Amino acid sequence: MTENKNIIISGGGTGGHLFPAIAIRDQIVKNNPRFNVHFVGSIYGIEKNTLDQKGYKHTLLPVTGLQRQLNLKSVYKNLLLPYKLIKSNFLIKKLFSDLKPVLIIGTGGYASALPLMEGLKRSIPVIIQEQNAFPGITTRWFSKRANEVFIAFKEAQDFIEKKCILSGNPIRYGIDKGNRAQGFKKFSLNDKLKTVLIFGGSQGSLSINNLISKIIKPLTNLNIQFIWQTGPKHYNQFESFENKFVKVLPFIENMANAYAVSDLVICRSGALTCSEITYCGKPSILLPLKNSAGDHQKRNAESLSKNGAAIIAEESSIVNEDFINLIDGLINSEKKLKKMAANSLNLRYPNAVSEISESAMRLIKNV
């Protein structure tokens, strides 16, 4: 009987790094049940709860990224960083000795650096999957020595010395399979009206919520309806804006149906969000998160914008009346919406997770 082999997938901190890792894991295990996948993440990241809930084997490191804010709390955290790195490195070496992994896959975030480093030291095959148009520091550090590097935006190649594979991002299965009729019913909306979907990521964005709260009343006078995801923390503050034209939700469980009913999306420009809206072929107004690492959200947004799939709105320079006119001009122009939708769909990469999984198997086919 063939002994099961171990693969380590490292990445996390945010959903943008973790969810592609989970998608890759699920595809590998589905097609190759003789491989066990072990996750490595951080005790401070979203993976702490998510991996437990899914029952996936994992090791969480007591490592954090360098704090860039100038305050006492950040200085204290930075002083502890060497100790955390030493402890994390010890845990990684022990994990590698125990599991004897045949492949390391890194999807970014500070917790992915040590497993990638250890894998390269031990001459174990390494794959990196980069989600953003501007690669994270871990990708920039290790990509040259990796066996293969997969990117989601062609612009990322400009910052990586190694020739990359443009695959797109692994995204949630079935995100483009929403039921439009069911969606209108579920969200209690009118299927005769144009629909705008607004969200600021799964946790919501207070600044986007504040912006929408100031313009939602005049917008509803334009005979438009809205699905507005506030995020759980902000819901109580904005739920009073709900009416027959506005559905306010803390969190949207079925995003596939939300995309299916929407004619225009207003959102942040995180890597997975951009990948989902292009996968679904949706026109969008993107509000990049200011001060994202390496300004990657703006770069992601620019990738969609220059291809005619999205319009960028910088929050710091938004004038409420102009923003209302922008939304009105788009949602009431079938020609503009169709052109942007087609351009968005042209940026879709439907086989990302299969390409990465197949590449992984090619690298370790002889083990």
Side-chain angles (χ1 to χ4, degrees):
M1 187 174 180
T2 306
E3 181 186 359
N4 281 15
K5 302 292 184 179
N6 293 310
I7 294 171
I8 286 177
I9 300 182
S10 62
T14 66
H17 295 307
L18 179 64
F19 296 137
I22 290 173
I24 294 167
R25 177 265 175 207
D26 290 349
Q27 185 74 13
I28 288 174
V29 172
K30 176 185 173 185
N31 294 338
N32 307 277
R34 76 184 183 97
F35 289 99
N36 298 317
V37 175
H38 191 97
F39 285 95
V40 173
S42 166
I43 61 174
Y44 304 103
I46 188 176
E47 57 270 29
K48 182 179 181 181
N49 295 321
T50 305
L51 296 176
D52 273 338
Q53 289 167 5
K54 288 185 170 290
Y56 291 164
K57 294 177 182 176
H58 60 277
T59 297
L60 300 180
L61 306 176
V63 67
T64 59
L66 185 68
Q67 304 297 306
R68 293 177 173 83
Q69 296 88 356
L70 291 174
N71 56 54
L72 286 175
K73 188 176 181 181
S74 296
V75 170
Y76 176 71
K77 286 184 177 180
N78 285 336
L79 288 172
L80 290 176
L81 192 56
Y83 165 76
K84 291 177 179 178
L85 285 171
I86 292 168
K87 185 175 180 181
S88 297
N89 195 43
F90 173 79
L91 291 172
I92 284 299
K93 289 184 179 298
K94 185 176 187 309
L95 182 68
F96 272 64
S97 296
D98 291 344
L99 295 183
K100 298 177 175 57
V102 296
L103 176 69
I104 314 301
I105 301 174
T107 61
Y110 43 79
S112 68
L114 288 175
L116 289 173
M117 185 186 298
E118 191 66 22
L120 291 168
K121 279 182 183 176
R122 298 184 184 222
S123 299
I124 300 169
V126 163
I127 290 174
I128 292 174
Q129 192 272 323
E130 173 57 51
Q131 298 89 37
N132 291 291
F134 181 70
I137 191 168
T138 302
T139 297
R140 301 198 305 275
W141 277 350
F142 298 109
S143 56
K144 191 173 181 180
R145 297 170 60 199
N147 294 75
E148 288 182 348
V149 180
F150 289 86
I151 55 176
F153 294 85
K154 63 182 180 181
E155 291 83 359
Q157 181 67 77
D158 296 338
F159 306 95
I160 298 173
E161 291 184 43
K162 187 181 185 68
K163 178 66 176 174
C164 301
I165 301 166
L166 180 59
S167 64
N169 274 317
I171 60 172
R172 289 179 277 187
Y173 176 76
I175 198 68
D176 63 332
K177 300 289 192 281
N179 185 306
R180 188 171 168 85
Q182 190 180 87
F184 280 120
K185 186 177 180 181
K186 180 71 175 176
F187 295 118
S188 304
L189 296 173
N190 185 340
D191 62 3
K192 302 294 191 296
L193 296 180
K194 292 290 186 184
T195 306
V196 179
L197 171 63
I198 303 166
F199 62 97
S202 59
Q203 298 304 307
S205 162
L206 183 57
S207 61
I208 289 180
N209 290 337
N210 284 330
L211 169 65
I212 297 304
S213 69
K214 293 170 185 172
I215 63 174
I216 196 71
K217 188 173 180 179
L219 281 171
T220 54
N221 292 335
L222 300 172
N223 215 29
I224 310 169
Q225 60 189 359
F226 298 84
I227 303 172
W228 176 8
Q229 178 183 279
T230 61
K233 289 189 297 184
H234 311 306
Y235 176 67
N236 291 340
Q237 190 176 342
F238 299 98
E239 63 176 319
S240 62
F241 287 92
E242 178 158 335
N243 57 48
K244 68 176 182 177
F245 295 109
V246 184
K247 183 69 175 178
V248 183
L249 298 163
F251 182 76
I252 299 172
E253 293 288 348
N254 192 332
M255 277 298 289
N257 279 356
Y259 283 128
V261 302
S262 64
D263 299 287
L264 177 68
V265 179
I266 300 174
C267 59
R268 290 287 189 217
S269 50
L272 294 194
T273 296
C274 289
S275 294
E276 286 189 353
I277 59 181
T278 55
Y279 199 83
C280 296
K282 295 297 171 182
S284 58
I285 298 174
L286 299 175
L287 293 82
L289 176 65
K290 192 178 180 182
N291 300 324
S292 58
D295 210 14
H296 68 264
Q297 285 215 6
K298 186 174 181 181
R299 294 173 191 252
N300 295 345
E302 287 171 345
S303 180
L304 272 65
S305 174
K306 73 181 183 184
N307 285 286
I311 293 172
I312 301 174
E314 298 277 5
E315 274 187 273
S316 58
S317 58
I318 286 176
V319 176
N320 290 351
E321 187 175 346
D322 292 344
F323 198 59
I324 292 168
N325 291 335
L326 172 62
I327 296 168
D328 186 25
L330 281 178
I331 205 72
N332 288 310
S333 172
E334 198 64 35
K335 184 179 179 181
K336 286 180 184 176
L337 287 179
K338 281 186 177 179
K339 186 175 181 181
M340 289 178 71
N343 291 336
S344 182
L345 203 58
N346 283 337
L347 298 174
R348 163 185 167 129
Y349 294 94
N351 302 312
V353 72
S354 297
E355 285 187 44
I356 297 167
S357 172
E358 289 166 11
S359 173
M361 293 304 102
R362 284 194 298 272
L363 279 175
I364 57 179
K365 62 182 178 181
N366 297 320
V367 301

